[in-house]
Amino acid sequence: MTTASGCPVHGGFDPLGDAFLRDPNAHMHDVPPVFYAPALDYYVVTRYADIERVFLDPETFSAANAQLPLIALPPEVGKTLLDGGHKPQPSMVSLDPPEHGRLRKPAARAFTPRRVDAMEPRIRATTAELLDAVDASQPFDLIAALAFPLPMRIMFSFMGVPEADWPRLKEWCASRASLAWGRPTDEEALHHARQMVRYRRYLRDLVAVKAGDRGDDFASALLEIHDEDPEALTQEEIASILFSLSFAGHETTNNLIGNCVRRLLEAPERWARLVGEPSSIAGAVDEILRYDPSVPVWRRVTKRPVTLGGVDLPEGAKLFLWLAAAGRDPDVFPEPERFDPERPNSRRTLAFGRGIHFCIGSALGRMEATLALEELTRRFPALTLVEQDITFHPNISFRGPQALWVHA
Ligand code: HEM
């Protein structure tokens, strides 16, 4: 079947269905470059070159829908969000130029390679502390022990969030993932919307408190920019930047670490190799980002009619950019099903996007995963996966094992 404009239609494509969540790769074979998925009302884009083109052309492809709810929600949910001060275009990742640059510039300052390198001792120390607390004589859940708390601690302490507030911030982030990238019931959606209002209010209050009581943290550093020129960066914009980082800075990395350990232990020779050659760990992380990315899908919407992958798209066409499929595109990655930590071009992956929105935390995320694997392979050279049914949070964009039981 095709649409009126000749676009192939894939009636059974449902990325939130159980079978898909369990094994998305099984659904990647023989898909056309672009097809329409009626279950979502999105056009799915599957080829590396087309996705790269979309990322590199913000004039034609807007980021406005990057974190809008994937499915239509009841009006009450929208009203709850708006009344609570959660604007329809809530943050950096969904803004187009020129507004995007106002937030991106000050936020990116904190993640230069030099600043990220300076975080290394803290990441190593936190990893060691978390693993010291593990009883390795018993099977343990690697996500609860390390993958979940490590990026959370690093990012929230960096931002200046008091430790007592970390658990609720994490809860709000889970609501955010379900509301924007999942398929909640109406009742669940309303619950999540109320959580989002609390989340936004919390960050605004945090900025107000920090304004009067500065610390050695990122929120305070942003407030210094505000002091110099309040128009250049408003307090509301600072809260918005914190809204971006408080989510992007750990949900992604938590899942990356989980995917790394899962994929490495799945074939024990992969783990053994890293144990013997720690210098190949960074390359293995890049290959995981190609092979099983923790952000497998990102979104755009067309601002004018355009032809993409041979399909004529109208203005307002919503695009489901299947980054995980781009990582398996044989035109760029020969023998894409083969996991190869020595692959010379793993780094060409689109797992961090491309162009003006390219992930500002890519170096940090990579480093956290690399250091976590260094410590894990050193401590647990004989680590194995426990036989288990691995489950995934039901959303399209943040993918990693919810629990991963391992034995040292
Ligand atoms: C480690 C795994 C990570 C993955 C796979 C990942 C992936 C992505 C992707 C796909 C985008 C959208 C790019 C686009 O629209 O072109 C993005 C943007 C972004 N990421 Fe990451 N990310 C990761 C880690 C992080 C970390 C650790 C941080 C925090 C420091 C972070 C902060 C951001 C921000 C703020 C943006 C929005 C940038 C903008 O709109 O200009 N990410 N990331």
Side-chain angles (χ1 to χ4, degrees):
M1 202 175 126
T2 60
T3 62
S5 65
C7 177
V9 175
H10 189 338
F13 186 81
D14 178 9
L16 291 164
D18 282 344
F20 189 99
L21 285 171
R22 208 166 274 279
D23 185 12
N25 297 337
H27 301 258
M28 257 173 219
H29 304 295
D30 303 323
V31 286
V34 174
F35 63 86
Y36 179 69
L40 302 172
D41 184 27
Y42 265 75
Y43 291 86
V44 181
V45 187
T46 66
R47 300 293 195 267
Y48 185 102
D50 293 327
I51 296 178
E52 187 177 44
R53 178 183 155 204
V54 170
F55 277 137
L56 290 175
D57 183 1
E59 290 290 314
T60 307
F61 302 98
S62 166
N65 63 340
Q67 47 185 358
L68 285 182
L70 178 70
I71 57 164
L73 296 171
E76 211 185 335
V77 172
K79 185 171 167 1
T80 303
L81 290 171
L82 279 177
D83 290 353
H86 180 75
K87 299 197 196 101
Q89 281 203 342
S91 62
M92 184 187 327
V93 79
S94 47
L95 287 172
D96 292 328
E99 289 81 7
H100 168 252
R102 272 179 68 87
L103 299 183
R104 166 98 188 182
K105 227 189 257 163
R109 274 198 215 172
F111 298 98
T112 60
R114 194 172 52 85
R115 297 244 171 127
V116 171
D117 282 349
M119 294 185 192
E120 180 175 334
R122 184 177 189 115
I123 297 170
R124 282 194 191 279
T126 309
T127 305
E129 192 187 315
L130 289 166
L131 291 178
D132 284 347
V134 166
D135 172 7
S137 68
Q138 304 291 326
F140 61 96
D141 173 11
L142 184 103
I143 306 302
L146 180 70
F148 184 91
L150 174 66
M152 174 191 77
R153 288 193 188 194
I154 297 300
M155 189 47 55
F156 291 172
S157 55
F158 166 81
M159 285 168 51
V161 178
E163 192 170 338
D165 299 333
W166 295 356
R168 40 186 180 145
L169 208 48
K170 264 308 231 186
E171 239 182 70
W172 295 330
C173 287
S175 278
R176 184 170 172 183
S178 298
L179 190 67
W181 293 279
R183 188 160 51 203
T185 63
D186 289 0
E187 200 180 315
E188 287 163 348
L190 195 58
H191 164 75
H192 296 320
R194 292 190 179 121
Q195 293 279 74
M196 295 293 287
V197 169
R198 293 183 192 111
Y199 181 6
R200 300 288 281 201
R201 189 181 308 134
Y202 174 85
L203 291 174
R204 286 195 190 98
D205 291 349
L206 180 71
V207 173
V209 169
K210 291 271 168 198
D213 180 17
R214 306 294 167 95
D216 180 19
D217 53 53
F218 185 55
S220 302
L222 291 174
L223 279 159
E224 269 174 40
I225 302 178
H226 170 78
D227 292 345
E228 279 167 29
D229 178 2
E231 285 308 303
L233 187 66
T234 64
Q235 290 203 8
E236 181 65 21
E237 287 174 323
I238 295 176
S240 173
I241 292 175
L242 298 182
F243 183 66
S244 297
L245 295 184
S246 63
F247 185 84
H250 60 87
E251 294 292 336
T252 52
T253 312
N254 166 10
N255 288 328
L256 173 60
I257 296 171
N259 292 341
C260 282
V261 176
R262 173 188 179 207
R263 295 307 192 178
L264 291 168
L265 292 181
E266 215 170 54
E269 70 279 4
R270 293 177 190 161
W271 188 260
R273 177 161 175 201
L274 299 191
V275 169
E277 275 175 53
S279 60
S280 56
I281 290 176
V285 171
D286 286 334
E287 178 68 347
I288 304 277
L289 281 158
R290 175 194 76 80
Y291 187 81
D292 192 5
S294 56
V295 179
V297 174
W298 209 244
R299 289 181 280 163
R300 290 290 189 264
V301 57
T302 57
K303 288 161 97 169
R304 60 173 177 84
V306 61
T307 305
L308 185 70
V311 167
D312 293 331
L313 299 172
E315 178 183 341
K318 296 181 285 178
L319 307 183
F320 178 108
L321 306 176
W322 199 355
L323 308 182
R328 304 279 180 124
D329 185 336
D331 286 347
V332 180
F333 305 109
E335 291 185 76
E337 307 305 325
R338 195 165 60 85
F339 178 84
D340 176 9
E342 300 287 312
R343 191 179 283 277
N345 68 348
S346 306
R347 275 231 175 184
R348 276 190 70 194
T349 167
L350 294 174
F352 293 108
R354 188 72 98 237
I356 62 163
H357 287 280
F358 181 77
C359 175
I360 63 174
S362 65
L364 175 61
R366 275 197 178 102
M367 184 165 80
E368 286 182 79
T370 303
L371 298 181
L373 287 176
E374 278 182 22
E375 189 61 15
L376 283 167
T377 47
R378 194 182 67 75
R379 281 191 194 219
F380 308 125
L383 199 68
T384 51
L385 274 184
V386 172
E387 207 172 302
Q388 64 200 296
D389 192 19
I390 298 175
T391 60
F392 298 85
H393 187 273
N395 79 85
I396 57 164
S397 285
F398 300 93
R399 179 178 169 85
Q402 287 180 303
L404 193 68
W405 287 88
V406 294
H407 204 313

